[in-house]
Amino acid sequence: AVGDVPFDASNYNALMQAILQTPVPTPTSRGAVISAPFEAVILRAMARRRDERPSSALDLLRDLQDAAGGKAPLMP
């Protein structure tokens, strides 16, 4: 949605620190022009806590379909 990674750092340790301690930047704050529902799906998928993320690819697909207003084809 944005065209690059949400966290960047000069080395692995700095990257891990940024991922763990820096708030997840929203796509719109980084210049993406997307709907609020689609942004919510992205942020849910990037949640730090496992129980806050979609539990499967199918759950993510359903979230995306909901964000698209039911227009995307739903797989089983």
Side-chain angles (χ1 to χ4, degrees), residues 35-65:
S35 69
F38 184 50
E39 182 169 67
V41 171
I42 292 171
L43 293 174
R44 181 173 176 232
M46 293 178 62
R48 288 191 173 106
R49 292 177 43 119
R50 178 181 292 193
D51 62 335
E52 294 175 358
R53 296 190 302 261
S55 61
S56 68
L58 183 57
D59 285 345
L60 179 58
L61 177 63
R62 288 181 177 144
D63 288 348
L64 289 168
Q65 181 183 20

Side-chain angles (χ1 to χ4, degrees), residues 18-36:
I19 289 171
L20 295 172
Q21 296 180 354
T22 305
V24 175
T26 63
T28 54
S29 73
R30 299 179 62 228
V33 179
I34 58 175
S35 69

